[in-house]
Amino acid sequence: VNQSRAGTCVETEGPCENCDQKCLAKFGPSVNTQCGNSQCLCIYECPPSPPKVCNGGAGLCSQNCPEKCCDTNCATKFNGGHGSCVTLVVNQTRADMCVDGLYTCDYCEQRCKSKHGPSGQGECETHTGMPMCMCHYQCEPPSLTPLNTCNGGAGLCSVRCPQKCCDVNCALKFTGGSGMCFTLGNTSVCQCKYPC
């Protein structure tokens, strides 16, 4: 996706044939089309950036510090923050199932499968008041062979693809991968680490 001016996005949709129909189907009636260099260009208003939401911990919930205490601790620790107690429980009916909280619901299913393999089932749960990706997967006994860590790349970091986007891209590209943005000169690159 190219952004030619503030609020306007341009995306290439292949050859010019049926350009109007392709763009209309993908971006709706407010799209404009243009053929440039034999390529169909869809010109549309960029969607607004989602509000930035961060997750952090403020200690453990307990009988002495239930939900209200957690919310107060988060508000104190993170200016304007809110807190919820989240309990991760292994499925008691099938002891071979595990649960991993993967924070935000963005690409929940893909991140779950990337981290825990094909048995992973990602589900966005909202019963805590904050959407959270819960990954249910087949537990495996710990490996006796330690895994090596390999490095890879997942493109560039930018305003449109910051740290969180880099992390998601690495998780999608490499099984068990995670990513960090690193600045090299005037360029910010997405560096991935993954078990190999």
Side-chain angles (χ1 to χ4, degrees):
V1 177
N2 299 324
Q3 189 168 356
S4 57
R5 60 184 180 268
T8 303
C9 288
V10 179
E11 191 167 319
T12 305
E13 282 297 313
C16 284
E17 186 178 333
N18 300 318
C19 185
D20 290 340
Q21 290 88 351
K22 288 189 273 189
C23 292
L24 183 64
K26 189 165 183 181
F27 300 105
S30 64
V31 71
N32 293 311
T33 60
Q34 182 178 338
C35 273
N37 294 333
S38 300
Q39 291 292 304
C40 172
L41 302 176
C42 302
I43 305 162
Y44 59 98
E45 187 175 328
C46 296
S49 298
K52 185 176 180 181
V53 177
C54 298
N55 294 308
L60 297 175
C61 294
S62 66
Q63 286 181 339
N64 294 336
C65 187
E67 193 86 21
K68 187 173 181 176
C69 170
C70 171
D71 192 49
T72 302
N73 288 348
C74 286
T76 303
K77 186 172 181 181
F78 307 105
N79 188 22
H82 297 284
S84 296
C85 293
V86 177
T87 305
L88 302 180
V89 180
V90 174
N91 184 335
Q92 298 300 316
T93 59
R94 296 193 53 203
D96 59 347
M97 292 300 291
C98 290
V99 180
D100 188 5
L102 300 179
Y103 300 104
T104 67
C105 287
D106 297 338
Y107 306 103
C108 181
E109 181 76 10
Q110 294 97 323
R111 287 174 35 233
C112 179
K113 287 190 183 305
S114 177
K115 185 171 183 182
H116 295 290
S119 75
Q121 296 291 317
E123 182 179 347
C124 184
E125 295 183 4
T126 58
H127 66 271
T128 62
M130 180 172 68
M132 178 176 269
C133 176
M134 301 303 283
C135 180
H136 303 265
Y137 63 97
Q138 190 80 34
C139 298
E140 292 182 24
S143 173
L144 298 176
T145 311
L147 295 174
N148 292 325
T149 300
C150 291
N151 295 310
L156 299 176
C157 293
S158 65
V159 173
R160 287 191 137 311
C161 187
Q163 171 61 45
K164 182 177 168 185
C165 169
C166 170
D167 193 41
V168 168
N169 287 345
C170 288
L172 294 173
K173 188 172 182 180
F174 302 105
T175 301
S178 62
M180 291 289 293
C181 293
F182 289 101
T183 302
L184 301 171
N186 292 332
T187 305
S188 184
V189 297
C190 178
Q191 171 89 32
C192 304
K193 289 186 182 237
Y194 59 96
C196 55

